[in-house]
Amino acid sequence: MTVSRKIFTSKMRANQIGGEQLRGLSEEEIKTVLDPILSFHLQFSEEVEYYEKLKRRELPSIENFKGIGHILIASRIALGMTQRDLASRLGVSDSQVSRDERNEYFGITVERAARVAEALGLRLHTKVELSGDVATNRELESA
């Protein structure tokens, strides 16, 4: 149980939240009330932490371009750049950037991701490794 949950739960048990008296709530009712609030709080805290890391220029690594859209959007926001600013740098309309971000750049090509990253002042590093999980044609033929 997190510290926040402990504090809320103890106050709920004491039947006091925000100076208001709460009477006759069962443990299950308390849990029903608290769970969505605490879940939102946790999600919000994680997003703030992620944003603060971006502001410190601590970008997460990604694998196989999964999450590239999220990084591009978050980087733009962390840099204090508007969608209009990015659109101007890319030579596209504001609405195009808005659509791309709304879809988290789903289906973006490598070339386009590189253009957006460059417009944001990001450098993408690529490392290619063979995973060894894929059978070769010879292995398939001999099986």
Side-chain angles (χ1 to χ4, degrees), residues 118-135:
E118 185 177 320
L120 292 168
L122 303 175
R123 288 187 330 180
L124 301 177
H125 298 271
T126 307
K127 180 180 178 180
V128 179
E129 298 175 332
L130 290 175
S131 67
D133 293 341
V134 179

Side-chain angles (χ1 to χ4, degrees), residues 6 10-11 23 34 48 57 60 71-72 77 83 89-91 97 99-100 104 121 131 133 136 139 141:
K6 286 179 183 176
S10 67
K11 286 188 177 192
R23 304 211 187 271
L34 287 181
V48 168
R57 300 181 182 268
I71 286 182
L72 293 174
I77 293 168
Q83 288 181 341
R89 289 179 180 207
L90 292 170
V97 172
R99 266 191 311 276
D100 288 342
E104 291 190 359
S131 67
D133 293 341
T136 65
E139 291 170 334
E141 290 169 359

Side-chain angles (χ1 to χ4, degrees), residues 14 18 22 25 31-32 36 38-39 45 47 49 56 62 84-85 87 90 94 96 101 105 108 123 129 134 140 142-143:
L22 302 171
L25 292 179
K31 184 179 180 335
T32 301
L38 295 174
S39 176
S45 297
E47 289 175 7
E49 183 181 339
R56 292 190 304 265
I62 59 171
R84 178 170 286 153
D85 295 334
L90 292 170
D94 303 359
Q96 179 63 52
E101 290 193 359
Y105 288 97
I108 191 171
R123 288 187 330 180
E129 298 175 332
V134 179
L140 291 173
S142 65

